[in-house]
Amino acid sequence: MPVKSFRGKLANNAIETIALHTNTGSTGYRVVKFDIFPVDPFKDDYESIVQVYTIPQETASDEVNFSDNTLLAAAMHSSRGGAESYPEDKWVLFDNVKFNQDIHITYKDQKNNSGCNFYLELETIKLDLTENSIATLKDIRNIIRD
């Protein structure tokens, strides 16, 4: 299936929305790749958390909860300016989750305000009527529960 890619720079404490919804909901997506990269890795210290959700978030958080079924992906980057230490990077993708609505990316950093770059690849999936209904109802349920 075709892959859509998105990239950008997130400000600290930012929440960005990627518009994916369609009128019919028959186009679904699945996360296949997610990377983050510091804006100025040799100058700034980083302790970054970037997370991708299926529902809007009120605030960007540095707490990661894998029990949250609206979480699609999470990445962590930690490094010291001047390259005196090797960066620590972790990524987790929940690639079995299909969705057909907008997604929301949050960024929180404890060390700096320079921002963080992200790169996201989504596999495009044609949803049949049943899959379309399930994906839409899951989003509605998650919004109501939140």
Side-chain angles (χ1 to χ4, degrees), residues 57-134:
Q57 301 297 299
E58 293 181 16
T59 60
S61 174
D62 55 1
E63 294 181 22
V64 180
N65 180 0
F66 284 3
S67 295
D68 182 349
N69 63 349
T70 67
L71 182 67
L72 295 172
M76 190 262 323
H77 175 84
S78 176
S79 65
R80 302 293 158 250
E84 67 246 13
S85 65
Y86 293 103
E88 300 169 3
D89 301 315
K90 302 282 185 204
W91 299 270
V92 175
L93 307 175
F94 299 104
D95 61 357
N96 62 335
V97 179
K98 293 179 186 175
F99 51 94
N100 65 350
Q101 300 295 317
D102 299 345
I103 57 174
H104 311 275
I105 302 176
T106 66
Y107 168 56
K108 179 80 171 178
D109 196 300
Q110 295 294 336
K111 289 287 186 178
N112 79 68
N113 288 314
S114 297
C116 184
N117 297 296
F118 75 92
Y119 178 76
L120 178 68
E121 286 184 2
L122 303 176
E123 178 184 16
T124 306
I125 303 165
K126 180 76 173 157
L127 299 177
D128 64 28
L129 185 57
T130 303
E131 291 174 315
N132 175 351
S133 299
I134 290 170

Side-chain angles (χ1 to χ4, degrees), residues 24-45:
T24 64
S26 61
T27 303
Y29 303 93
R30 188 174 68 84
V31 178
V32 292
K33 185 173 186 173
F34 181 51
D35 283 322
I36 62 173
F37 197 85
V39 171
D40 196 347
F42 298 119
K43 178 182 160 197
D44 294 327
D45 292 350

